[in-house]
């Protein structure tokens, strides 16, 4: 994979162990980052308002510390069946500590890579993915989206939010400045640099993301909340 002028990647194709180690290290402080960035709450509001609230089976892919999952649980019928995945056991531990689900609904936490989801085809009505795709190396991004399509029922919903590049793309330094402003407004630049993925980031431009979604079998529309944050509402084509 070649690195374009907007790529923040440090390793061309980091293996799963490198990515997992990064998020294991970040798990204990990730919530503090979240609370100081209003854009993250805006994203969840935008995602949740467009989701149905009836009983369903939903997957939160790349759940992290479980904040998206918590909002989903509040929104959905309490009889819904929920699954949360992440590649980091430390993140899953944080999510388990946060989430308390009473019967009759069910909730399972699974260590899984979104490029190879361990679920049968057509299992879910809803798949959520928030701020994970740009952490997936470019060569695997379409594979991840195709896995989301595979595990969704025909007509099922993909709600996806991600960090995106501008068009034309920002330089690596300008992109880091924009990330600092949007996601870490209370931190000094050097502190932000320490939080960015040490294995790389692969943000897509909005048109590129929509093109991959179409190739993966989705009919999608996109909202840009700020120039580097997109929210996508997509349906799995029949």
């Amino acid at each position: 994979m070649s690195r374009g002028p907007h790529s923040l990647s440090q390793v061309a194709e980091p293996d799963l162990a490198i990515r997992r180690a990064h998020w294991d290290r970040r798990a204990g402080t990730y919530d503090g980052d979240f609370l100081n960035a209003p854009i993250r709450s805006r994203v969840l509001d935008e995602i949740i308002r467009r989701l149905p609230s009836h009983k369903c089976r939903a997957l939160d892919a790349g759940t992290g510390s479980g904040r998206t999952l918590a909002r989903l649980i509040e929104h959905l019928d309490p009889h819904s069946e929920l699954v949360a995945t992440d590649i980091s056991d430390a993140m899953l531990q944080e999510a388990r500590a946060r989430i308390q689900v009473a019967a009759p609904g069910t909730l399972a936490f699974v260590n899984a890579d979104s490029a190879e989801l361990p679920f049968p085809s057509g299992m879910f009505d809803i798949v959520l993915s928030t701020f994970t795709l740009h952490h997936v190396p470019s060569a695997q991004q379409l594979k991840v989206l195709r896995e989301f399509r595979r595990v969704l029922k025909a007509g099922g919903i993909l709600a996806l939010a991600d960090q995106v590049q501008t068009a034309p793309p920002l330089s690596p330094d300008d992109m880091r400045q924009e990330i600092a402003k949007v996601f870490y407004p209370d931190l000094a630049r050097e502190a932000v640099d320490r939080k960015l993925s040490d294995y790389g980031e692969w943000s897509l431009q909005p048109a590129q993301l929509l093109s991959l979604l179409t190739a993966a079998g989705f009919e999608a529309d996109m909202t840009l909340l700020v120039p580097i944050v997109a929210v996508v509402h997509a349906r799995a084509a029949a």
Side-chain angles (χ1 to χ4, degrees):
M1 181 198 72
S2 62
R3 290 184 291 174
H6 58 282
S7 174
L8 298 181
S9 62
Q10 304 301 313
V11 180
E13 288 293 340
D15 63 23
L16 188 60
I18 292 173
R19 294 160 57 201
R20 178 174 284 129
H22 171 83
W23 294 110
D24 282 345
R25 289 193 298 271
R26 286 288 307 279
T29 60
Y30 189 75
D31 271 0
D33 300 340
F34 185 102
L35 293 174
N36 290 326
I39 187 63
R40 298 182 187 269
S41 294
R42 284 184 61 196
V43 163
L44 293 187
D45 290 342
E46 180 69 17
I47 285 175
I48 294 299
R49 77 174 183 85
R50 297 192 60 179
L51 290 180
S53 58
H54 55 70
K55 178 184 175 182
C56 67
R57 185 176 287 162
L59 168 66
D60 183 19
T63 193
S65 61
R67 286 195 171 272
T68 300
L69 182 63
R71 287 289 301 274
L72 185 64
I73 289 170
E74 292 174 358
H75 178 75
L76 291 178
D77 183 285
H79 294 80
S80 295
E81 299 175 34
L82 307 176
V83 178
T85 63
D86 205 277
I87 61 173
S88 164
D89 281 332
M91 280 293 195
L92 290 172
Q93 184 175 350
E94 294 288 326
R96 286 190 187 96
R98 163 171 284 110
I99 305 300
Q100 300 293 327
V101 179
T106 62
L107 173 61
F109 294 93
V110 179
N111 189 309
D113 181 3
S114 290
E116 297 181 2
L117 292 169
F119 309 115
S121 299
M123 178 174 176
F124 296 101
D125 303 290
I126 297 171
V127 172
L128 281 82
S129 171
T130 55
F131 296 114
T132 60
L133 191 64
H134 71 284
H135 293 298
V136 175
S138 296
Q140 297 184 48
Q141 288 176 337
L142 179 56
K143 185 177 182 181
V144 167
L145 295 175
R146 283 177 170 159
E147 275 293 271
F148 291 165
R149 172 61 191 90
R150 182 185 66 79
V151 300
L152 274 169
K153 298 175 181 177
I157 296 171
L158 170 64
L160 182 149
D162 203 31
Q163 175 184 302
V164 294
Q165 251 292 352
T166 59
L170 297 172
S171 69
D173 192 63
D174 287 345
M175 186 63 170
R176 286 177 183 272
Q177 290 184 28
E178 192 68 14
I179 290 169
K181 180 175 69 175
V182 172
F183 293 101
Y184 306 100
D186 297 333
L187 294 183
R189 170 63 186 274
E190 55 271 20
V192 174
D193 286 344
R194 289 194 295 270
K195 292 182 180 295
L196 295 178
S197 300
D198 51 17
Y199 61 78
E201 295 184 356
W202 295 268
S203 298
L204 294 164
Q205 293 175 338
Q208 293 172 323
L209 176 54
L210 288 172
S211 178
L212 286 187
L213 285 161
T214 299
F218 289 100
E219 299 170 353
D221 64 77
M222 177 184 292
T223 300
L224 285 176
L225 299 187
V226 297
I228 65 165
V229 175
V231 176
V232 172
H233 183 87
R235 285 198 177 271

